[in-house]
Amino acid sequence: MCLRIDLWSYRGITPVNQPTPMGHEYCGIVEEVGSAIRTVKPGQFVIGSFFASDNTCPHCNFGYQSSCQQREFVGGAQAPLLRVPLADGTLVPTPGVPAKEMIPNLLATSDVLGTGWFAADAANVRPGMTIAVVGDGAVGLLAVLSARQMGAERIIAMSRHEKRQKLALEFGATDIVTERGDEGVVRIKDLTKGLGADAVLECVGTQESMMQAIRSTRPGGYVTYVGVPHGVELQGEELFFSHVHLHGGPAPVRRLLPKLIDLVWAEKIHPGKVFDLTLRLDQVAEGYRTMDERRAIKAILQP
């Protein structure tokens, strides 16, 4: 099994008051199944998402499996074994057992690609549009890739880090903006002849990033927010007069997994490039340190 690590809890932004298993992005070989499981079989290579879902309730049928009426958060994936509830509705098998070099690309579909794709999909990205992406972490970078796959003509990536800028350009960005906050808004307005972007994909979850996204979007445009909000508050009057569409939340990765797996399996996309550090499971502490210090975009853990 391969695993991904997250920083909100590590930095203390999400309080952790006791020893807590971490990790919510995963893929691997099925070892055992419960007696009620019908579609998942031992020996299959499968991918799931951070919310388990039955994939049959009304919310699931509308395509929002992360709001399933039976949803359960799947944590504790940074371990040699992981129990996945509601396995028939949650896990999606790949066409076969993948080659080792494909696994990082498949792992990315479990969260960061699924979330970046949802950001672009919820923003109604279409050919010819001008898109801005706020955030240069793995989700933001893969939102760039997703917008390119959906045909966006111009993709403005907001980043101050050279390594991440290069990957954003490789994934399809056409412009790099280093400014943040109000200065970032001005820069996007300059690049769009004063109009603002057709859609802005907010992939951070802070007050500054959300307001930058809203203020950088043209009237009638789309703002999607997929970074878990921390301290974000919106003023009704400013939102009222901005005339933007707002949509976001925890990405319904289960809806997107079949398509994303197909794209990876056909080698049409390589989202695993966001994993720029590979460590053993027992080196997890070093993985957290390197990501916290921005020495790595994302670490991948292998038992």
Side-chain angles (χ1 to χ4, degrees), residues 1-7 20-26 74-82 281-282 284-285 288 291 299 301 303:
M1 180 179 289
C2 292
L3 315 165
R4 194 272 274 176
I5 59 182
D6 192 74
L7 289 174
T20 303
M22 298 294 292
H24 57 266
E25 188 169 6
Y26 56 93
V74 181
Q78 291 165 15
L81 294 171
L82 173 68
L281 181 57
D282 61 5
V284 61
Y288 278 103
M291 291 178 63
L301 302 176

Side-chain angles (χ1 to χ4, degrees), residues 71-94:
R71 76 174 183 181
E72 293 185 42
F73 182 72
V74 181
Q78 291 165 15
L81 294 171
L82 173 68
R83 175 187 173 273
V84 179
L86 302 170
D88 282 335
T90 303
L91 298 176
V92 179
T94 57

Side-chain angles (χ1 to χ4, degrees), residues 35-303:
S35 59
I37 300 302
R38 297 289 177 263
T39 61
V40 178
K41 299 178 175 60
Q44 287 181 316
F45 190 93
V46 296
I47 305 170
S49 76
F50 45 86
F51 274 120
S53 59
D54 60 24
N55 207 32
T56 60
C57 82
H59 299 326
C60 290
N61 288 334
F62 279 115
Y64 285 84
Q65 288 89 340
S66 49
S67 286
C68 175
Q69 290 177 315
Q70 296 194 70
R71 76 174 183 181
E72 293 185 42
F73 182 72
V74 181
Q78 291 165 15
L81 294 171
L82 173 68
R83 175 187 173 273
V84 179
L86 302 170
D88 282 335
T90 303
L91 298 176
V92 179
T94 57
V97 176
K100 183 178 180 180
E101 57 269 19
M102 185 179 283
I103 290 177
N105 293 317
L106 291 169
L107 176 59
T109 68
S110 176
D111 180 358
V112 287
L113 176 59
T115 299
W117 194 279
F118 175 61
D121 180 68
N124 200 34
V125 173
R126 296 291 184 269
M129 290 176 66
T130 294
I131 307 300
V133 178
V134 180
D136 64 357
V139 171
L141 291 169
L142 292 175
V144 169
L145 180 151
S146 302
R148 174 58 65 198
Q149 287 290 308
M150 296 177 190
E153 181 177 326
R154 192 175 193 183
I155 302 172
I156 304 167
M158 311 199 78
S159 173
R160 292 180 169 180
H161 302 274
E162 183 178 358
K163 184 177 183 180
R164 297 170 188 233
Q165 292 171 357
K166 289 180 177 178
L167 191 52
L169 292 169
E170 183 178 345
F171 281 161
T174 57
D175 301 86
I176 300 293
V177 168
T178 59
E179 294 86 351
R180 292 181 179 175
D182 292 340
E183 292 181 353
V185 174
V186 170
R187 185 71 181 122
I188 290 179
K189 290 292 184 69
D190 287 344
L191 289 171
T192 56
K193 299 181 180 180
L195 297 177
D198 297 314
V200 180
L201 318 183
E202 194 280 300
C203 303
V204 182
T206 66
Q207 181 73 19
E208 181 184 65
S209 61
M210 177 63 90
M211 297 317 302
Q212 180 175 312
I214 292 172
R215 292 167 181 169
S216 298
T217 306
R218 65 165 175 79
Y222 292 80
V223 174
T224 54
Y225 50 99
V226 296
V228 179
H230 287 77
V232 175
E233 296 182 359
L234 303 180
Q235 293 187 357
E237 186 174 354
E238 179 174 358
L239 187 61
F240 182 78
F241 285 103
S242 69
H243 249 148
V244 300
H245 299 78
L246 277 179
H247 185 34
V253 174
R254 176 59 183 84
R255 181 208 331 154
L256 306 171
L257 273 175
K259 178 179 180 64
L260 300 181
I261 291 171
D262 285 349
L263 288 171
V264 167
W265 202 262
E267 297 190 68
K268 294 181 179 179
I269 57 174
H270 297 88
K273 290 181 178 181
V274 297
F275 295 109
D276 56 347
L277 177 64
T278 300
L279 298 170
R280 299 188 312 273
L281 181 57
D282 61 5
Q283 296 175 296
V284 61
E286 176 61 17
Y288 278 103
R289 280 192 293 269
T290 56
M291 291 178 63
D292 182 48
E293 297 167 2
R294 299 183 79 85
R295 290 185 282 125
I297 300 172
K298 181 170 289 296
I300 186 171
L301 302 176
Q302 297 177 330

